[in-house]
C-alpha cells in the first residue's frame, strides 16, 4: 500500500482525486473508468481538511456495492449486517449531486498549529 500523505508539502494545499472505487462506497464511478470513484480529499499542511465526492444515485449499483461490503465484513469478522433499505428507497429520489465535507475541527487544528485533534476539541471522550 503506497503511503502518499507523508510526502505532501507542508507549504501548499494538496488535492487527491480519482480514488480507487473500493475507497468510495457512496461515490459515483468515473464514466468509462469502473475502477475509479469521483472522490477527492483536500490536505493543507499534511492534514486532511475536506472530503468530496459525486453521489452515487444508481439504486441498483449501490445495492450491489452494499451486498459486496456486507459479504466482506462477514468474511473478515463473522458479523451479519443488513442492507439499509430505507436509504436505498430514498436514493431512488435523489437527483444527481455531490458535496464536500469541510472539517471545522481540522481547520481549528490547522490555524492553532495543534498536534492532535484533541487540542482543537472543546471536550474529549476522557472529559465526558
Amino acid at each position: 500500500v503506497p503511503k502518499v500523505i507523508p510526502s505532501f508539502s507542508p507549504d501548499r494545499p494538496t488535492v487527491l482525486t480519482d480514488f480507487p472505487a473500493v475507497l468510495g462506497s457512496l461515490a459515483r464511478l468515473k464514466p468509462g473508468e469502473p475502477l475509479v470513484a469521483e472522490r477527492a480529499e483536500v490536505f493543507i499542511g499534511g492534514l486532511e481538511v475536506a472530503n468530496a465526492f459525486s453521489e452515487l444515485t444508481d439504486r441498483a449499483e449501490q445495492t450491489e456495492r452494499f451486498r459486496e461490503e456486507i459479504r466482506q465484513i462477514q468474511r473478515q469478522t463473522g458479523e451479519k449486517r443488513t442492507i439499509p433499505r430505507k436509504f436505498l428507497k430514498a436514493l431512488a429520489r435523489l437527483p444527481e449531486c455531490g458535496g464536500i465535507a469541510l472539517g471545522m475541527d481540522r481547520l481549528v487544528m490547522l490555524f492553532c498549529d495543534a498536534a492532535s485533534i484533541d487540542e482543537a476539541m472543546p471536550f474529549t471522550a476522557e472529559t465526558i
Side-chain angles (χ1 to χ4, degrees), residues 26 58-74 79-91:
L26 299 174
D58 182 311
R59 184 177 177 181
E61 183 179 343
Q62 186 64 72
T63 300
E64 185 49 41
R65 287 198 202 177
F66 280 147
R67 284 188 177 130
E68 179 54 33
E69 287 180 19
I70 288 168
R71 283 190 290 266
Q72 283 182 354
I73 289 168
Q74 190 160 6
E79 288 181 45
K80 292 195 182 255
R81 301 275 175 100
T82 59
I83 295 267
R85 298 197 189 287
K86 285 183 182 179
F87 174 82
L88 291 168
K89 186 176 180 181
L91 192 63

Side-chain angles (χ1 to χ4, degrees), residues 34-50:
L35 300 177
V36 180
E38 291 182 355
R39 181 174 169 214
E41 288 184 356
V42 180
F43 293 82
I44 300 175
L47 179 68
E48 179 191 341
V49 296

Side-chain angles (χ1 to χ4, degrees), residues 9-32:
S9 169
D11 301 327
R12 64 174 195 214
T14 303
V15 179
L16 292 182
T17 61
D18 298 341
F19 277 66
V22 297
L23 298 178
S25 62
L26 299 174
R28 180 174 59 213
L29 300 180
K30 285 185 79 170

Side-chain angles (χ1 to χ4, degrees), residues 89-122:
K89 186 176 180 181
L91 192 63
R93 298 185 307 272
L94 185 68
E96 287 203 13
C97 59
I100 186 165
L102 175 65
M104 298 306 290
D105 51 354
R106 304 298 180 95
L107 286 179
V108 170
M109 275 183 73
L110 186 65
F111 293 141
C112 295
D113 198 28
S116 82
I117 195 118
D118 288 348
E119 294 177 41
M121 301 298 291

